[in-house]
C-alpha cells in the first residue's frame, strides 16, 4: 500500500462521497458532470483534497477522493456545494426549470471511508495489541 506523508505523519485517507441533486431531479448531463468535476478540481488544492475518480448518474455524483489528516471535510464540502451550485445554475440556465429555488444540491450527502483493510481485521489487530510477550 502506498502511503502519503507530511512532516509528522504517514497516512492513507480515502473517501467515497455521494452528492445528490435537490429533490433528486435528473438534471446531470455529461457536460454538467464535467463542469462539476472541473469546479471540484479547482477548489480541492485549498483543502488538501485530491480527486481520484468521478462518475455521475442523472441525479447524483460519485466521487473518490484522497485527503490529509488536517483536511476539514465539512468546510470543503460546503465550499464546493455552494460554488458549484452558483456556477452551474449560471452556466446552465436550463437547470432552473427543474430546480426553481436557490438550491442545486440536497443538504444531505453520503461520505464513506474506504480503508484497504476490512474493519474486522483492524478490530482483531487492536484487540491483540500487547498480547505478545
Amino acid at each position: 500500500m502506498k502511503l502519503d506523508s507530511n512532516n509528522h505523519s504517514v497516512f492513507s485517507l480515502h473517501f467515497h462521497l455521494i452528492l445528490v441533486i435537490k429533490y433528486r431531479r435528473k438534471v446531470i448531463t455529461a457536460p454538467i458532470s464535467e463542469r462539476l468535476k472541473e469546479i471540484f478540481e479547482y477548489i480541492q488544492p485549498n483543502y488538501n483534497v485530491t480527486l481520484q475518480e468521478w462518475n455521475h448518474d442523472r441525479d447524483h455524483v460519485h466521487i473518490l477522493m484522497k485527503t490529509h489528516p488536517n483536511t476539514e471535510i465539512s468546510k470543503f464540502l460546503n465550499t464546493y456545494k455552494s460554488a458549484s451550485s452558483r456556477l452551474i445554475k449560471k452556466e446552465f440556465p436550463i437547470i432552473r426549470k427543474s430546480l426553481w429555488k436557490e438550491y442545486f444540491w440536497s443538504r444531505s450527502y453520503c461520505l464513506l471511508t474506504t480503508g484497504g483493510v476490512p474493519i474486522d481485521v483492524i478490530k482483531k489487530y487492536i484487540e491483540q495489541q500487547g498480547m505478545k510477550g
Side-chain angles (χ1 to χ4, degrees), residues 106-129:
S106 169
R107 285 182 50 197
S108 58
Y109 57 87
C110 178
L111 183 66
L112 307 165
T113 57
T114 60
V117 179
I119 296 296
D120 291 341
V121 172
I122 296 171
K123 282 182 180 178
K124 188 171 183 171
Y125 173 77
I126 291 171
E127 287 171 3
Q128 292 177 349
Q129 291 303 296

Side-chain angles (χ1 to χ4, degrees), residues 28-38 56 88 92:
I28 301 178
T29 60
I32 289 172
S33 176
E34 189 57 36
R35 183 62 177 126
L36 290 169
K37 180 180 173 186
E38 288 171 0
H56 75 278
I88 285 295
F92 297 88

Side-chain angles (χ1 to χ4, degrees), residues 76-87:
F76 168 74
L77 290 177
N78 286 337
T79 301
Y80 172 70
K81 288 170 73 174
S82 176
S84 61
S85 177
R86 186 177 63 258
L87 291 169

Side-chain angles (χ1 to χ4, degrees), residues 52-97:
Q52 300 286 292
E53 190 67 40
W54 180 282
N55 209 340
H56 75 278
D57 204 340
R58 297 280 294 144
D59 62 356
H60 64 278
V61 295
H62 287 269
I63 302 162
L64 179 62
M65 62 185 192
K66 185 169 68 167
T67 69
H68 284 227
N70 62 346
T71 299
E72 295 182 82
I73 295 176
S74 62
K75 283 188 178 180
F76 168 74
L77 290 177
N78 286 337
T79 301
Y80 172 70
K81 288 170 73 174
S82 176
S84 61
S85 177
R86 186 177 63 258
L87 291 169
I88 285 295
K89 288 184 299 186
K90 180 180 174 189
E91 296 171 18
F92 297 88
I94 190 80
I95 287 175
R96 291 189 183 275
K97 290 182 180 175

